[in-house]
């Protein structure tokens, strides 16, 4: 019986290795391991064996059965894998065909610039304040040391709605409003971005509507060197660590001293080129120490409190940073313009 | 202000700097230099020539043949100028000379005659057409005085000069004069300058015998001085004066006019010369004009005056608008013999108003408007007298006749070194402050660290401590300020909830495929009233209008962003960009007043406009045009982002498709609308089907609540069931969804439409709606019987309420 089992094993293993598909392997399984198979038959004849022989042959029969089953399983897995592979091979596609498009939009370049500046100043502890675009003459001019008849009002000819209401010509009224809420005894640290309006005919460098972003810090012992330090930090983060700044005297009715901030020209590294008109410097923003009249009108004692303010035009910054050559591009909303700056 | 560097060099020694270097220094210490421009670039080899003979060219009618002495030699030159004549002293470009535009002069033959050079006009030498004196406008330039043959004509004509253009801020009107610029430069480079005393050769006759002065409004006219100059001979002014005027952009006219202009440039004080005989009176009366009074000004314009204008009269009629322009009647002319020279101080606001009313901006009004130096008014008059005596052979009568209530006192400002340092963040010493004051030529008294500074009247802009702070800072140099960071109380910067939500909504839209746009707030009147959301329309009485718009295109504030968004789409479509999806978050301006008197309510809205193809994926046969449900999906996504639930009700809005427009509500509040633009408007704008949304962002933000509690993920399985119902075609899916949710509560958690069908196998006027229902009890596994029970209840409810039949 022992020989018969060995024989069966040899025979079965041979058939397994010869099987070329899952079906013939199934046949082998039924033939040898099925209920009517030869091994079952051998086991049935075990009654004739001696008490000693029975377990030996039983064990052997089980071993033979298991090794055949194992061989079939291994072979089956291999055949299935092969078949799957064949099937998958037939499913192959052209991976270079275009994918199903997903619509992706993006922010306006001015929004990107404004948010970049906002985040930069938030990092320095500034808040963001907003205010109305239709302003009172008081907040737009008078509270900012521009009384009626002041010559500097000419500098920013305005769109009036009534004698007392106008479209704000700068975002400075937001500063006046914010200071006014502090009862003259709390510090202010804010920036205010927003739309402003002036009586300009739209052309490549003028727009009757544009964006402004101003900043204000009022506290005890605010120094002009603080203004220089903050503007320097801003310029380096916004325009690159290798940029230098310089301040030079200027005039704004709401600050004294007043300065303009230039950054060294990136194109020529300060040597002078057409972009910086040969000066090596590019004007970026206006700034200064808050005028005592402005502080006083907002309820602060200018002997105790001082402050600095600055203001810039995001359009100008965008034009410098990205080489946009016509301010009207920001408001025409040509899709070919908008899409260019989605990564800005 | 145009500053001749040659002239400046005569006032203050700037020879160790090039004009460009000086410009850089001036810019950094006080006044921005806008440009440095050579008067004539690239010109050389031009000398003085004496025309010894001038005869008709033998072969040409319009040419002359001249023998010209140019010093070392005599050249034969053919000249075509009509004003060439023997005995003239002219500018000759010798062979080898270069004229503007790199035009090289060579020996040549003209109509058979040799020509060795060219006799030049001022234009040919590079002088601006507008600066060329009229008598030389159509011909060559002739030197008005004796100059040596062979001398360098360029330097005689000041063509080797460079003009520094100052961009003056309104506070620095002191630099509207060469004297003021010289003081400024002296402070900047630590140089020396002082305005020289005038030296007038008075005659024995007294001006008071010829003229009297009366001033009616001494506030408007605190000083009026009249000088009388007799024996005037009108002629050309000296070349050097003409050159300086030309460099400053003022055209030379005659000696009298040139002298008043010259003093204006030198002192910053406008003067006016009347012809005494034509003035026709021995009284000068300055007074406010009468309403409707007329004057013909020097530019031959008849002007009507108002009672706030100030005029100079002869006791009867107006002969000048004070500080703005003189009258034609008493204009100085060729035959003028006697002058009244006016040196006056007019109140800035009076001049500004008159100049504005008459649209006359002159060199004179510009200076009066900003306030002239009270201590220089009379001096300027004397300076002009000095020059008139010298260059117009005038006899100056003794004593100016004047009315004088002018305040000439100096402002006093006290500064403390420690306060200066506290404000600047510097450690400037008392000595450095004293040195800065010396450079500025401000006198002071010092007590320790306290300086009581006397501000010269030429610097009327300095009144406060902060003004002096600026003076000290700029001369000390902004480059020398340290970089520090604010030391004060710190706060955590950040965005408010509204600002965060605004960013969140924007990035949602961008992720959903929309491009952000920024359109104009000012629109034409008709557009400002179009496509306005019903809840805005109910609040807005009328769009807010500008009092004086620049154009009708930008005359009214918007009540909706959609009209301008549609314009943007139209602009793009016209440029063959057809698939567009735009949004804007911005304010609309809502006034509840018929006639606006208060600030309008500014409401933040989020609007969008989409047109063309939404998804195009041709090789897999997928193509989807923008439709109502694309836009609705975006709006629904927004509500999900903000965890709000929106409902949609069919509505009609002007300019919108009447069958494809829905009102959007969040909770009970109307927040806007979505839908298709009316096909008629689409056609007008050249747009294919276009869908829009317009939502009240402010209301959405107000309804937003930040979810802070954790909601457990359900642990028990849900059961999904589908039903298909046949209903009347008028019944909305929302109505049935509501009924299902209500009847199925609390087990039905979600109801979704998955099919809509109408047509074959269904009776006319009926449609089939198929829903997928989700049953869930968060606390246990549902039993089949429970679901069945709920399902039956739902079927009964939809049958009762909507006559809905289960589709077999």
């Amino acid at each position: 019986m022992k020989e018969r089992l060995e024989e069966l094993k040899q025979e079965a293993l041979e058939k397994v290795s010869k099987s070329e598909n899952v079906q013939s392997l199934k046949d082998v399984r039924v033939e040898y391991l099925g209920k009517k198979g030869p091994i079952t038959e051998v086991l049935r004849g075990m009654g004739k064996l001696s008490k000693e022989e029975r377990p030996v042959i039983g064990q052997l029969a089980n071993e033979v059965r298991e090794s055949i089953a194992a061989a079939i399983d291994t072979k089956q897995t291999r055949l299935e894998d092969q078949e799957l592979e064949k099937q998958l091979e037939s499913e192959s596609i052209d991976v270079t065909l275009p994918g199903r498009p997903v619509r992706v939009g993006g922010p306006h370049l001015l929004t990107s610039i404004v948010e970049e500046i906002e985040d930069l100043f938030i990092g320095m502890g500034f808040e963001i304040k907003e205010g109305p675009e239709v302003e009172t003459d008081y907040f737009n001019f008078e509270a900012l040391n521009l009384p009626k008849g002041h010559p500097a009002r000419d500098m920013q000819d305005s769109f009036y709605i009534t004698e007392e209401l106008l479209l704000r010509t700068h975002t400075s009224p937001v500063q006046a409003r914010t200071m006014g809420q502090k009862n003259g005894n709390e510090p202010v640290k804010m920036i205010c971005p927003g739309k402003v309006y002036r009586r300009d005919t739209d052309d490549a460098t003028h727009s009757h509507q544009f964006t402004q972003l101003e900043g204000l810090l009022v506290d005890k012992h605010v120094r002009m060197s603080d203004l220089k330090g903050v503007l320097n930090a801003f310029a380096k983060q916004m325009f690159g660590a290798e940029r230098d700044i310089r301040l030079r005297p200027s005039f704004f009715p709401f600050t004294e001293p007043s300065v303009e901030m230039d950054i060294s020209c990136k194109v020529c590294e300060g040597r002078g080129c057409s972009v910086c008109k040969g000066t090596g410097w590019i004007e970026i923003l206006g700034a200064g120490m808050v005028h005592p009249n402005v502080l006083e009108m907002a309820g602060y004692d200018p002997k105790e409190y001082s402050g600095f303010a600055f203001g810039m035009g995001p359009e100008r910054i965008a034009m410098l940073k990205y080489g946009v050559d016509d301010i009207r591009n920001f408001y025409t909303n040509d899709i070919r313009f908008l899409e260019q700056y989605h990564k800005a | 202000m145009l500053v001749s560097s040659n002239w400046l060099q005569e006032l203050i020694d700037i020879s160790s700097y090039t004009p460009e270097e000086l410009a850089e220094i001036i810019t950094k210490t006080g006044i921005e230099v806008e440009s440095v421009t050579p008067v004539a670039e690239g010109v050389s080899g031009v000398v003085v020539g004496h025309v010894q003979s001038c005869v008709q060219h033998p072969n040409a009618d319009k040419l002359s043949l001249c023998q010209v002495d140019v010093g070392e030699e005599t050249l034969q030159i053919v000249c075509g100028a009509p004003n060439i004549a023997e005995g003239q002293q002219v500018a000759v470009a010798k062979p080898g000379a270069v004229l503007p535009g790199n035009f090289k002069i060579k020996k040549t033959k003209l109509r058979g005659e040799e020509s060795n050079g060219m006799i030049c006009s001022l234009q040919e030498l590079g002088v601006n057409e507008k600066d060329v004196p009229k008598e030389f406008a159509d011909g060559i330039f002739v030197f008005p005085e004796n100059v040596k043959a062979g001398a360098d004509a360029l330097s005689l004509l000041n063509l080797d000069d460079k003009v520094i253009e100052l961009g003056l801020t309104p506070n620095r009107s002191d630099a509207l004069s060469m004297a003021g610029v010289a003081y400024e430069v002296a402070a900047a480079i630590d140089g020396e300058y002082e305005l020289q005393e005038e030296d007038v050769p008075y005659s024995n006759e007294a001006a008071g015998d010829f003229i009297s002065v009366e001033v009616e409004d001494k506030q408007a006219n605190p000083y009026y001085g009249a000088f009388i100059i007799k024996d005037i001979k009108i002629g050309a002014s000296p070349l050097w004066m003409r050159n300086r005027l030309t460099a400053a952009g003022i055209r030379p006219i005659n000696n009298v006019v040139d002298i008043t202009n010259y003093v204006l440039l030198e002192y910053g004080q406008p003067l006016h010369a009347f012809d005494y005989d034509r003035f026709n009176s021995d009284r000068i009366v300055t007074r406010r004009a009468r309403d409707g009074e007329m004057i013909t000004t020097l530019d031959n314009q008849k002007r009507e005056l108002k009672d706030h204008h100030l005029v100079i009269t002869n006791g009867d009629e107006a002969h000048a608008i004070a500080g703005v322009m003189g009258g034609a009647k008493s204009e100085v002319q060729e035959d003028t013999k006697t002058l009244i020279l006016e040196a006056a101080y007019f109140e800035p606001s009076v001049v500004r108003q008159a100049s504005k009313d008459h649209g006359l901006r002159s060199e004179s009004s510009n200076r009066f408007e900003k306030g002239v130096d009270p201590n220089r008014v009379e001096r300027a008059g004397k300076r002009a007298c000095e020059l008139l005596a010298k260059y117009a052979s005038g006899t100056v009568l003794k004593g100016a006749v004047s009315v004088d209530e002018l305040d000439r006192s100096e402002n006093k400002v006290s500064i403390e070194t420690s306060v200066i340092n506290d404000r600047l963040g510097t450690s400037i010493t008392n000595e450095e402050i004293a040195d800065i004051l010396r450079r500025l030529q401000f006198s002071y008294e010092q007590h320790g660290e306290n300086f009581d500074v006397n501000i010269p009247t030429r610097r009327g802009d300095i009144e406060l401590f902060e003004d002096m702070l600026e003076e000290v800072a700029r001369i000390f140099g902004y480059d020398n300020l340290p970089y520090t960071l604010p030391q004060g109380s710190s706060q955590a910067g950040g965005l408010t909830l509204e600002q965060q939500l605004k960013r969140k909504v924007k990035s949602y839209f961008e992720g959903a495929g929309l491009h952000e746009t920024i359109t104009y707030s000012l629109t034409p009147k008709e557009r400002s009233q179009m496509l306005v959301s019903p809840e805005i329309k109910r609040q807005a009485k009328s769009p807010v209008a500008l009092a004086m718009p620049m154009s009708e295109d930008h005359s009214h504030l918007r009540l909706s962003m959609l009209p301008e968004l549609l314009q943007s789409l139209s602009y793009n479509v016209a440029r063959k960009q057809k698939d567009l999806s735009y949004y804007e978050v911005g304010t609309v301006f809502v006034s509840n007043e018929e006639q606006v008197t208060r600030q309008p309510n500014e409401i933040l809205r989020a609007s969008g406009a989409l047109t063309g193809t939404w998804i195009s994926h041709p090789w897999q046969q997928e193509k989807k045009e923008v439709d109502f449900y694309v836009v609705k999906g975006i709006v629904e996504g927004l509500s999900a982002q903000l965890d709000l639930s929106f409902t949609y009700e069919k509505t009609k809005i002007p300019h919108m498709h009447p069958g494809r427009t829905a009102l959007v509500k969040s909770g009970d509040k109307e927040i806007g609308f979505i839908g298709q633009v009316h096909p008629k408007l689409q056609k007008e704008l050249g747009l294919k089907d276009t869908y829009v949304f317009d939502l009240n962002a402010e209301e959405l933000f107000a309804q937003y609540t930040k979810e802070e509690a954790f909601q457990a993920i359900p642990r028990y399985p849900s059961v999904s069931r589908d039903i298909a119902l046949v209903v009347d075609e008028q019944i909305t899916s929302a109505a049935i969804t509501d009924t299902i949710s209500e009847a199925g509560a609390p087990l039905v958690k979600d109801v979704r439409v998955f099919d809509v069908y109408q047509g074959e196998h269904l009776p006319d006027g009926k449609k089939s709606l198929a829903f997928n229902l989700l049953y869930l009890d968060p606390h246990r596994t549902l039993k089949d019987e429970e679901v069945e029970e709920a399902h039956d209840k739902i079927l009964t409810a939809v049958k009762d309420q909507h006559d809905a039949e289960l589709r077999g």
Side-chain angles (χ1 to χ4, degrees), chain B residues 102 176 360 379 541 613 703 713:
Chain B
N102 202 22
L176 281 169
L360 275 173
R379 289 186 65 181
K541 275 271 153 35
T613 303
Q703 291 188 12
I713 315 276

Side-chain angles (χ1 to χ4, degrees), chain B residues 450-462:
Chain B
N450 290 302
F451 294 82
D452 296 330
V453 185
N454 302 307
I455 311 298
T457 50
R458 63 185 153 85
R459 291 299 307 277
D461 59 311
I462 301 175

Side-chain angles (χ1 to χ4, degrees), chain A residues 118 149 197 199 224 226 228, chain B residues 352 481 484 503 521 548:
Chain A
E118 282 179 354
Y197 306 84
R199 285 188 84 84
M224 201 160 178
D226 298 337
K228 197 175 168 184
Chain B
R352 186 180 317 126
L481 286 191
T484 59
R503 286 198 183 185
S521 309
M548 284 194 305

Side-chain angles (χ1 to χ4, degrees), chain B residues 528-583:
Chain B
S528 70
Q529 291 161 308
M530 263 168 70
L531 297 167
V532 179
S533 190
E535 92 278 10
I536 294 286
K537 197 147 213 163
R538 283 196 296 273
Q539 299 169 50
K541 275 271 153 35
S542 60
V544 177
L546 294 184
M548 284 194 305
M550 288 176 77
S551 74
E552 288 187 0
D553 282 346
H554 308 299
S555 59
H556 287 69
L557 284 167
R558 63 187 177 192
L559 281 165
S560 164
M561 287 179 283
L562 293 178
E564 290 296 324
L565 275 171
L566 293 180
Q567 291 294 323
S568 290
L569 296 191
S570 175
Y571 175 94
N572 279 283
V573 168
R575 283 156 186 78
K576 306 267 180 274
Q577 306 295 316
K578 293 186 172 128
D579 307 323
L580 302 155
S581 47
Y582 280 0
Y583 86 92

Side-chain angles (χ1 to χ4, degrees), chain A residues 5 43 46 53-64:
Chain A
L5 283 169
L43 288 172
M46 282 224 311
E53 264 182 325
R54 225 177 276 162
V56 179
I57 294 298
Q59 196 186 342
L60 183 66
N62 276 333
E63 276 169 21
V64 167

Side-chain angles (χ1 to χ4, degrees), chain A residues 53-269:
Chain A
E53 264 182 325
R54 225 177 276 162
V56 179
I57 294 298
Q59 196 186 342
L60 183 66
N62 276 333
E63 276 169 21
V64 167
R65 184 192 271 276
E66 273 162 30
S67 67
I68 294 170
I72 291 171
D73 287 349
T74 310
K75 180 78 180 201
Q76 183 162 350
T77 308
R78 213 169 77 217
L79 286 174
E80 276 171 2
D81 281 355
Q82 275 169 3
E83 260 165 49
L84 183 64
E85 211 162 295
K86 221 162 136 197
Q87 187 200 333
L88 295 185
E89 198 54 49
S90 75
E91 288 170 10
S92 90
I93 56 166
D94 178 356
V95 297
T96 65
L97 278 168
R100 183 184 185 278
V102 170
R103 286 290 282 237
V104 182
H108 192 281
L109 176 56
L110 287 175
T111 301
S112 304
I113 299 262
V114 167
E115 288 186 359
E116 185 179 351
I117 301 172
E118 282 179 354
D119 291 344
L120 217 145
F121 280 99
I122 286 172
M124 290 193 263
F126 284 73
E127 292 178 297
I128 295 167
K129 294 283 181 186
E130 287 152 308
E133 290 171 35
V134 175
E135 257 301 354
T136 60
D137 187 85
Y138 176 79
F139 278 112
N140 194 73
F141 289 127
E142 285 179 54
L144 297 163
N145 202 28
L146 281 152
K148 289 215 158 88
H150 191 288
R153 284 196 180 198
D154 290 355
M155 287 160 76
Q156 37 195 4
D157 269 359
S158 344
F159 289 119
Y160 274 91
I161 291 161
T162 68
E163 263 184 37
E164 291 304 321
L165 291 179
L166 72 159
L167 296 187
R168 65 179 178 193
T169 56
H170 44 199
T171 49
S172 315
V174 184
Q175 305 186 359
R177 285 176 179 275
T178 308
M179 280 190 282
Q181 290 157 5
K182 303 284 182 176
N183 298 318
N185 55 20
E186 278 174 64
V188 176
K189 202 172 179 186
M190 58 171 277
I191 61 166
C192 46
K195 294 184 180 116
V196 300
Y197 306 84
R198 290 189 195 168
R199 285 188 84 84
D200 275 322
T201 304
D202 296 341
D203 61 23
T205 54
H206 296 85
S207 181
H208 74 277
Q209 172 182 323
F210 59 101
T211 320
Q212 220 182 33
L213 190 149
E214 293 188 311
L216 172 73
L217 189 151
V218 174
D219 204 344
K220 292 175 181 171
H221 303 294
V222 176
R223 304 161 295 182
M224 201 160 178
S225 57
D226 298 337
L227 171 64
K228 197 175 168 184
V230 165
L231 292 182
N232 190 47
F234 158 74
K236 291 209 148 68
Q237 289 198 54
M238 192 76 192
F239 298 100
E242 62 290 346
R243 299 272 71 78
D244 287 326
I245 66 158
R246 76 166 181 187
L247 304 182
R248 57 184 166 75
S250 188
F251 171 77
F252 306 106
F254 23 87
T255 49
E256 185 75 24
S258 300
V259 290
E260 304 259 11
M261 184 191 86
D262 300 337
I263 60 165
S264 55
C265 180
K266 193 176 182 173
V267 177
C268 61
E269 296 290 340

Side-chain angles (χ1 to χ4, degrees), chain B residues 276-288:
Chain B
Y276 180 80
D277 299 312
R278 293 191 169 90
F279 192 70
N280 207 21
S281 163
D282 56 4
R283 290 173 70 205
I284 293 173
V285 181
T286 81
R287 60 164 168 82
R288 297 282 183 167

